[in-house]
């Protein structure tokens, strides 16, 4: 399975961590999905080389093969007490039988998301600085929507020549991961900095107090312009998913990049 970004993705599915991880390693290039049914675990594992079993390291595999245990099926047939004498534990014997009581714990997403931009030269507040900020808004929005998250607050950090820093946070009226909402707050924060002669060297925009997007209350909107922009945003995201994140975006950001 090779998605739009050309990444080799190999997915294993099984009734335990060991079986799923072992299955994923058996998927050949350019990637794909291999599912092992719970009733087929023993038969599927048995012919695999012993070093293909997830959790068996090179030294353990070498020890087992020295004793003629070349396959996972042979390892499963040996009494656990014998495996313990050979390897110092019974875990490998259990896993060879498909036994793995470890629970699958979903990894929680971070409560923050930060995007950064560093200027090639010292830059005053103006068109270039605002274009860079807009680029960060677009990047952050795409990141949040890709993770199905919404930000309750934004923090803007400005770094100046001489390593001076300015930082300020502001909460959104409603949690959001949409470009329009993020841009409004980001520009308000930039205005609040009151830049005059300050020369910027870097910007950082952080989405904070993140929540799952499906927890954001959906309200009926009478703002036709906003609804049209959200529809356009969803369409643009689909284009980016297919052709890459830099294929489309605000004109000011593209002019700066060029």
């Amino acid at each position: 399975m090779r998605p739009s970004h050309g990444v080799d993705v190999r997915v294993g599915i099984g009734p335990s961590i060991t079986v799923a991880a072992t299955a994923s390693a058996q998927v050949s290039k350019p990637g794909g999905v291999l599912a092992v049914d719970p009733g087929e675990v023993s038969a599927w594992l048995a012919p695999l080389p012993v070093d293909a079993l997830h959790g068996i390291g090179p030294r353990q595999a070498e020890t087992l093969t020295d004793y003629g245990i070349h396959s996972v099926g042979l390892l499963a047939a040996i009494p656990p007490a014998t495996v313990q004498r050979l390897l110092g534990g019974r875990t490998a014997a259990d896993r060879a039988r498909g036994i793995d009581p470890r629970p699958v714990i979903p990894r929680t997403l971070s409560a923050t998301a930060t995007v950064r931009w560093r200027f090639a030269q010292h830059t005053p507040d103006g068109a270039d600085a605002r274009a860079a900020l807009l680029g960060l808004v677009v990047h952050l929005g795409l990141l949040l929507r890709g993770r199905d998250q919404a930000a309750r607050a934004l923090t803007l950090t400005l770094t100046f020549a001489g390593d001076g820093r300015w930082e300020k946070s502001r909460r959104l009226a409603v949690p959001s991961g949409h470009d329009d909402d993020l841009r409004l707050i980001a520009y308000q924060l930039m205005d609040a900095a009151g830049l005059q002669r300050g020369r910027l060297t870097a910007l950082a925009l952080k989405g904070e107090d993140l929540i799952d997007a499906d927890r954001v209350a959906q309200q009926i909107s009478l703002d036709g312009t906003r609804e049209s922009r959200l529809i356009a945003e969803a369409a643009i995201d689909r284009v980016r998913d297919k052709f890459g994140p830099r294929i489309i975006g605000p004109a000011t950001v593209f002019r700066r990049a060029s």
Side-chain angles (χ1 to χ4, degrees):
M1 178 171 59
R2 187 175 292 274
S4 60
H5 296 292
V7 179
D8 184 2
V9 179
R10 308 180 190 195
V11 179
I13 301 174
S16 70
I17 292 176
T18 292
V19 175
T22 302
S24 68
Q26 296 303 305
V27 177
S28 58
K29 291 184 178 182
V33 178
L34 176 58
V36 181
D37 187 88
E40 301 174 351
V41 168
S42 296
W44 182 78
L45 286 174
L48 295 178
V50 72
D51 60 355
L53 183 65
H54 179 71
I56 296 291
R59 290 187 179 181
Q60 291 178 316
E62 183 178 358
T63 298
L64 292 171
T65 53
D66 285 345
Y67 282 88
I69 305 169
H70 301 282
S71 70
V72 177
L74 289 174
L75 177 58
I78 295 174
T82 301
V83 176
Q84 183 170 7
R85 287 196 298 272
L86 293 176
L87 302 181
R90 302 189 179 196
T91 300
D94 289 338
R95 293 182 179 178
R97 295 175 173 85
I99 301 171
D100 187 348
R102 292 177 295 170
V104 176
I105 302 174
R107 184 177 61 184
T108 57
L109 292 173
S110 172
T112 65
T114 305
V115 291
R116 297 179 173 84
W117 175 263
R118 180 166 293 278
F119 294 100
Q121 58 187 8
H122 299 173
T123 304
D125 185 18
D128 289 342
R130 297 293 169 139
L133 180 59
L134 180 57
L136 292 184
V137 166
V138 172
H139 187 181
L140 180 60
L142 188 60
L143 177 61
L144 292 177
R145 294 191 299 277
R147 289 163 42 167
D148 291 324
Q149 289 186 299
R152 287 191 175 111
L154 287 185
T155 296
L156 176 64
T157 303
L158 309 179
T159 304
F160 301 96
D163 292 330
R165 286 167 60 90
W166 179 92
E167 184 173 284
K168 189 175 181 65
S169 300
R170 183 164 293 183
R171 295 189 72 80
L172 284 76
V174 177
S176 178
H178 298 298
D179 292 355
D180 274 2
D181 302 327
L182 301 177
R183 180 174 60 244
L184 174 64
I185 301 301
Y187 280 15
Q188 288 176 353
L189 289 169
M190 192 74 157
D191 291 340
L195 299 180
Q196 294 180 354
R197 297 184 179 180
R199 297 280 174 165
L200 294 166
T201 59
L203 303 174
L205 187 64
K206 180 192 296 184
E208 297 190 278
D209 199 6
L210 304 184
I211 62 172
D212 292 340
D214 58 10
R215 292 177 54 194
V216 179
Q218 301 297 320
Q219 298 182 0
I220 297 176
S221 173
L222 300 178
D223 186 345
T225 300
R226 173 178 169 78
E227 292 303 313
S228 296
R229 286 179 176 175
L230 293 179
I231 292 173
E233 180 183 81
I236 291 171
D237 284 350
R238 290 193 294 271
V239 172
R240 289 172 174 147
D241 286 341
K242 186 173 182 179
F243 298 105
R246 299 184 184 276
I247 196 66
I248 189 171
T252 55
V253 174
F254 275 73
R255 282 199 296 268
R256 181 205 67 198
S258 62

